């Protein structure tokens, strides 16, 4: 079985510790793991009071390899020094947000493990059945995945009242993953009465990461405020 690697652990200063932890899932279309969506994000999370680590999950492999390895990594992370006894959430970008979204609904895929306590999704790939990123879909499910399989792997269709409280951001100009993905997820959360905060920025391309200097740069301050306000 392929395994994930827990990398780039970053711990907060005691004076600003929020008692939270986060597993960071870079994007990359299930083909690769962009560095700018990994270690820099973990360091930023630590700077705002959240213990963080990057999950280097298997790529260029079909389901269930990425999900199985990621759930194992989340279980391992819960037991590590500096992460034990914290509320553990997921932070995902693009296809990494799709994988994080599956981790938020493990029962849908036959896994009986705890759900994350919160989720942060940046320019997330949510849908596998419409408005999808075809390369990601074909890498994970294969080029011949039928309509029912694609629906099963669409995260908005998995949302229920127990779905993790979520913060989502994307740009309207994203041409790789249409912004309707974020909107579909937010609407599903709204319908299930799941706490959701959605920010759509007018300008900017896909794969911005922390978005330093870009029009969407405020997402980090907005997210830090949201994390600090999460209920105990």
């Amino acid at each position: 079985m392929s395994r994930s690697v827990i990398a780039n652990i970053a711990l907060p200063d005691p004076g600003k510790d929020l008692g939270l932890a986060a597993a960071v899932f870079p994007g990359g279309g299930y083909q690769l793991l962009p560095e700018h969506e990994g270690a820099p994000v973990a360091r930023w999370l630590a700077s705002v009071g959240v213990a963080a680590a990057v999950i280097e999950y298997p790529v260029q492999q079909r389901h269930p390899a990425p999900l199985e390895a990621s759930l194992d990594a989340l279980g391992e992370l819960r037991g590590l020094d500096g992460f034990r006894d914290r509320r553990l959430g997921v932070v995902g970008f693009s296809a990494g947000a799709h994988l994080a979204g599956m981790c938020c609904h493990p029962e849908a895929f036959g896994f009986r493990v705890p759900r994350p306590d919160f989720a942060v999704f940046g320019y997330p790939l949510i849908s596998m059945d419409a408005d999808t990123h075809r390369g990601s879909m074909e890498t994970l499910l294969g080029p011949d995945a039928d309509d029912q399989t694609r629906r099963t792997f669409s995260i908005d269709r998995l949302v229920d009242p127990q779905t993790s409280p979520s913060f989502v951001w994307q740009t309207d100009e994203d041409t790789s993953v249409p912004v309707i993905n974020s909107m579909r997820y937010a609407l599903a959360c709204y319908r299930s009465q799941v706490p959701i905060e959605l920010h759509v920025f007018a300008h900017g391309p896909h794969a911005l990461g922390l978005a330093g200097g870009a029009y969407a740069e405020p997402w980090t301050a907005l997210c830090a405020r949201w994390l600090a306000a999460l209920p105990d």
Side-chain angles (χ1 to χ4, degrees), residues 25-29 32-38 40-41 92-97 121-125 133 169-178 203-212 214 216-217 219:
F25 292 81
L32 50 87
L33 301 176
E35 194 279 335
H36 76 286
E37 294 172 353
V41 177
F93 298 88
S94 194
F121 297 151
Y123 38 92
L125 174 60
H133 180 263
W169 73 276
Q170 192 167 3
T171 68
D172 188 50
E173 294 178 343
D174 192 329
T175 58
S176 296
V177 175
H203 305 298
H206 189 69
L208 284 168
L210 292 175
E217 182 176 11
W219 86 262

Side-chain angles (χ1 to χ4, degrees), residues 190-203:
Y190 173 78
R191 287 174 170 166
S192 290
Q193 297 185 315
V194 174
I196 175 75
E197 183 163 325
L198 170 65
H199 295 275
V200 177
F201 297 94
H203 305 298

Side-chain angles (χ1 to χ4, degrees), residues 107-126:
E107 305 90 348
F109 306 98
F111 295 94
R112 303 298 176 188
V113 296
R115 292 187 177 194
D117 293 297
F118 62 90
V120 175
F121 297 151
Y123 38 92
L125 174 60
I126 295 296

